Amino acid sequence: MSAFVLRNRTKRKAALFVAFGLKCQICDYDKCQTALEFHHISSESKLFSLSSNDKYTAYKDIANEAKKCVMVCANCHREIHAGLVKIELKSNFDEDKFLTYLKLNKPKKTCKICQNEIESRKSFCSMTCRKKFNEHGFDQNLMISMYERDKKSFMFIGRYFNVSGTTIKKRLLKIGLLNK
């Protein structure tokens, strides 16, 4: 699992906890967040599990699924499934809190060389850092492998290395893998 997926999943789960009020809807337990779970009020309407959804899912879709759930502690959740507790609650999910949390906790993007904070659409803070990356941070063996073995396009490889497809083509020409 990539660092991006792990970071995104953690942020999404934290936003869900905040939107549900950070406590069990049945007994008000709030000591340990890892003991809190999501329970679908109606299993027939369940499209996916909130806690183990590995695929990228739009935040609106997550919010719509959360509206069908309640947040309960592990003990109450087991009692619900054992039939000891009859759940007559409606979801207290607050979509505005969920979306606000996600906007406020957007990860900061940093320069790949010096780690300074940068604008979200940029990869480097300056031309100096971009040149350093092009000289030292470019894995030529990976580029060759992506081109020869995986048959990836110049554009695909370029996106991976944050350069243009033309730059990849020029590098492959320079090392003799392409004919003019």
Side-chain angles (χ1 to χ4, degrees):
M1 172 181 348
S2 73
F4 172 80
V5 171
L6 188 61
R7 195 172 47 245
N8 192 41
R9 185 185 299 167
T10 303
K11 181 176 77 167
R12 182 179 63 205
K13 198 166 187 179
L16 285 167
F17 283 154
V18 168
F20 275 107
L22 297 166
K23 63 182 180 178
C24 174
Q25 248 182 279
I26 296 174
C27 70
D28 289 338
Y29 176 84
D30 64 356
K31 291 180 184 156
C32 178
Q33 282 189 358
T34 57
L36 296 172
E37 301 172 349
F38 306 106
H39 174 74
H40 278 79
I41 298 167
S42 169
S43 59
E44 291 86 35
S45 66
K46 180 178 180 176
L47 296 176
F48 60 87
S49 173
L50 289 175
S51 58
S52 63
N53 184 21
D54 290 338
K55 294 177 246 135
Y56 172 77
T57 307
Y59 291 138
K60 280 284 187 193
D61 294 339
I62 293 169
N64 289 334
E65 194 66 22
K67 290 174 187 173
K68 306 173 197 173
C69 298
V70 291
M71 189 164 69
V72 292
C73 68
N75 285 339
C76 290
H77 199 189
R78 300 307 172 274
E79 289 176 2
I80 290 168
H81 284 285
L84 300 174
V85 173
K86 294 291 180 217
I87 186 162
E88 295 178 14
L89 299 169
K90 66 176 195 161
S91 180
N92 70 342
F93 177 75
D94 185 338
E95 186 173 356
D96 290 334
K97 277 187 182 178
F98 175 70
L99 295 173
T100 301
Y101 183 91
L102 292 171
K103 285 178 189 170
L104 293 175
N105 291 289
K106 211 172 208 177
K108 305 283 188 253
K109 192 168 179 186
T110 57
C111 176
K112 294 180 178 187
I113 301 299
C114 65
Q115 306 306 315
N116 286 338
E117 193 173 317
I118 57 175
E119 294 176 36
S120 63
R121 68 186 200 296
K122 293 185 174 182
S123 297
F124 305 98
C125 65
S126 65
M127 285 304 291
T128 306
C129 284
R130 185 175 190 81
K131 286 177 184 172
K132 283 182 186 175
F133 177 80
N134 286 337
E135 291 168 6
H136 306 291
F138 201 83
D139 186 348
Q140 187 169 308
N141 293 331
L142 179 59
M143 177 188 66
I144 293 168
S145 171
M146 289 173 85
Y147 176 71
E148 287 185 328
R149 189 190 69 208
D150 301 337
K151 307 291 186 219
K152 300 294 183 189
S153 69
F154 301 134
M155 200 62 131
F156 180 89
I157 300 168
R159 278 194 210 113
Y160 180 83
F161 289 108
N162 288 312
V163 296
S164 69
T166 305
T167 300
I168 297 299
K169 190 174 182 179
K170 286 178 182 177
R171 285 178 187 239
L172 290 170
L173 278 167
K174 189 176 179 180
I175 59 175
L177 285 175
L178 287 179
N179 297 325
K180 288 188 179 184

